[in-house]
Amino acid sequence: MKKRYAQVGVGGRARFFYQAVVGTYSETSELVGFCDLNQARMNYANSLLAKEYGAAPIPTYPAERFDDMIREQKPDVVIVTTVDRAHHKYIIRAMELGCDVITEKPMTMTAEKCQEIIDAQKRTGRNVRVSFNYRYAPLHTKCREVIASGVIGDVFSVHFEWLLDIRHGADYFRRWHRDKRNSGGLLVHKSTHHFDLVNFWIASQPKTVFAFGDLNFYGRENAENRGVTKFYNRSTGNPNAEGDPFAIDLTQNETLRGLYYDAEKEDGYLRDQSVFGDGISIEDTMGVIVKYKSGAIMTYSLNTFLPYEGYRIAFNGSLGRLEMTSLDIPYINGGGVVDGAAKEQTIRVFPMFGTAYDVEFTEGEGGHGGGDPVLLNDLFGTPVEDEFHRAANHVDGAMSILTGIAANKSIATGRPVEIDSLLQL
């Protein structure tokens, strides 16, 4: 018997899930409902499914009829892919109405909303899965395996540098993410991936967090200081945007046009705001120090305006050092390029009393370093027993976002933040 899925939020990231349910995993899964604030976006999703899979239209429901969708369509699982600020609302209500939940990361964006989810899960006993696709990338799974083998001993420190380039990084400053009230800032929205990976790799949880962060590159004031004089609110059709390498034209991409430009008349959302405009409340330059319950210390940096995309990480242990690099293909969300596809990946071990060597692994194909296809099979297909325990639940979701939430609080107060002060699990 097929498992029934309903999806709330059908923006750029939603397609990853609904295409898998209707396409690759149609023998085990059935999509029974869409819910969104914008009817045009739901119509676009249905047109894609009809064009690519010959699928009949999925029933659509406006946001205020979410409860009706659950009662009428009787899904087993609700997939939550809304704006981050609304994740908790639909996660909690879905559980209260008897459904399990798959949520896009981050699970939510504040400690208070996280506590509400934890309490609702205890109250209802339903399951919450957080779609941490990076856990499933072969490179990252191999890293967990190598560290767990003990070859570098006990991990004492981690140095983690993530680089977002001027294509992908800039895109967060065009969209709703630029307002911290929507996304929690990039230390929650984006770094949730990275903080979860460290929890996963060293098998520990954060204890104390201290951070700095600033808006140094994007935003109008920074552009003015560099001598920019031509400004605009949105780029599509605006003469002031001509020749600006940071501008995008929504009419020149079928997906961006269908999801956003043609849907503007319903909700007024502009997908192509200037990255050098006013109203940006998130940081573009961030540095974080984390002390883990295991005793390990991490130094972490995230920059969003760099010439190339990827990350470098090093683990220093009692028996040696592990270095890992991944250089990625940058992309614009919803723009047709595979999200986070890797082009160069390496793991190298430096034993304390031995010769350094490269760790072999089989690279995966697809987004997020090859993790996307493996995650989708785990969610919708026929998963096998996983010795690496990559499936992430609500506790994993909480432990990843709490690092970013604590970092935001530290930036605001100038003080270190204890994770246990934010949440009662």
Side-chain angles (χ1 to χ4, degrees), residues 139-148 201 315 322 324 347:
L139 176 75
H140 300 155
T141 301
K142 177 59 70 171
C143 178
R144 177 179 170 94
E145 180 182 3
V146 172
I147 292 174
W201 284 327
F315 302 85
L322 183 152
M324 186 163 60
I347 304 178

Side-chain angles (χ1 to χ4, degrees), residues 36-320:
D36 197 272
L37 292 165
N38 192 300
Q39 185 63 46
R41 267 195 283 278
M42 292 190 284
N43 292 345
Y44 179 73
N46 266 324
S47 71
L48 281 176
L49 293 177
K51 178 182 177 180
E52 297 183 10
Y53 302 102
I58 305 301
T60 62
Y61 293 80
E64 64 270 19
R65 293 195 61 211
F66 177 78
D67 285 18
D68 293 337
M69 178 180 70
I70 303 302
R71 282 191 288 264
E72 293 173 11
Q73 302 302 329
K74 298 178 174 55
D76 301 297
V77 181
V78 172
I79 303 169
V80 179
T81 47
T82 64
V83 171
D84 294 352
R85 69 166 185 265
H87 280 188
H88 74 296
K89 171 183 175 182
Y90 293 108
I91 292 171
I92 292 168
R93 190 60 182 147
M95 289 192 289
E96 290 175 342
L97 293 174
C99 301
D100 292 332
V101 176
I102 296 169
T103 181
E104 181 56 274
K105 61 82 191 165
M107 187 173 73
T108 187
M109 44 168 281
T110 70
E112 293 77 15
K113 292 177 180 180
C114 187
Q115 187 70 64
E116 290 179 30
I117 292 173
I118 297 294
D119 293 344
Q121 192 281 326
K122 289 181 180 178
R123 185 170 67 249
T124 64
R126 306 308 306 186
N127 295 320
V128 179
R129 288 282 301 273
V130 184
S131 58
F132 283 128
N133 30 24
Y134 267 128
R135 287 186 172 209
Y136 294 82
L139 176 75
H140 300 155
T141 301
K142 177 59 70 171
C143 178
R144 177 179 170 94
E145 180 182 3
V146 172
I147 292 174
S149 75
V151 70
I152 64 169
D154 297 326
V155 175
F156 296 146
S157 67
V158 181
H159 181 69
F160 198 176
E161 178 187 31
W162 201 289
L163 303 83
L164 294 172
D165 88 318
I166 50 175
R167 180 174 165 87
H168 183 199
D171 206 35
Y172 293 107
F173 296 82
R174 297 186 186 102
R175 300 183 281 162
W176 52 263
H177 309 73
R178 63 195 266 146
D179 186 342
K180 191 171 280 192
R181 295 172 299 179
N182 290 331
S183 65
L186 292 178
L187 286 173
V188 173
H189 175 83
K190 181 62 179 176
S191 299
T192 183
H193 264 319
H194 316 157
F195 298 144
D196 174 70
L197 281 174
V198 176
N199 297 345
F200 174 68
W201 284 327
I202 69 173
S204 189
Q205 295 178 341
K207 181 178 183 291
T208 308
V209 177
F210 183 78
F212 291 106
D214 288 295
L215 182 66
N216 291 322
F217 183 77
Y218 299 107
R220 182 165 182 142
E221 183 179 3
N222 292 319
E224 288 174 342
N225 291 340
R226 292 193 296 271
V228 175
T229 58
K230 294 175 67 175
F231 293 93
Y232 53 90
N233 179 40
R234 57 99 46 95
S235 55
T236 302
N238 194 314
N240 277 2
E242 293 180 4
D244 181 0
F246 290 92
I248 61 171
D249 187 338
L250 299 180
T251 65
Q252 299 305 303
N253 180 281
E254 179 184 352
T255 302
L256 294 177
R257 181 174 192 127
L259 274 179
Y260 302 109
Y261 189 74
D262 293 342
E264 288 176 8
K265 59 184 179 294
E266 289 196 27
D267 58 16
Y269 173 57
L270 302 182
R271 171 65 176 80
D272 59 344
Q273 298 174 80
S274 170
V275 301
F276 300 117
D278 291 319
I280 296 174
S281 57
I282 65 174
E283 300 83 10
D284 58 23
T285 310
M286 292 144 277
V288 184
I289 298 176
V290 183
K291 181 69 175 289
Y292 290 86
K293 292 180 179 179
S294 67
I297 300 170
M298 176 176 71
T299 55
Y300 168 87
S301 70
L302 175 65
N303 294 276
T304 64
F305 46 83
L306 296 176
Y308 67 94
E309 179 116 345
Y311 72 83
R312 291 183 175 86
I313 189 167
F315 302 85
N316 300 306
S318 58
L319 297 177

Side-chain angles (χ1 to χ4, degrees), residues 379-400:
L379 291 174
F380 305 121
T382 53
V384 297
E385 185 176 350
D386 183 3
E387 63 177 303
F388 303 109
H389 306 290
R390 289 171 292 189
N393 63 15
H394 59 288
V395 175
D396 300 310
M399 285 299 108
S400 72

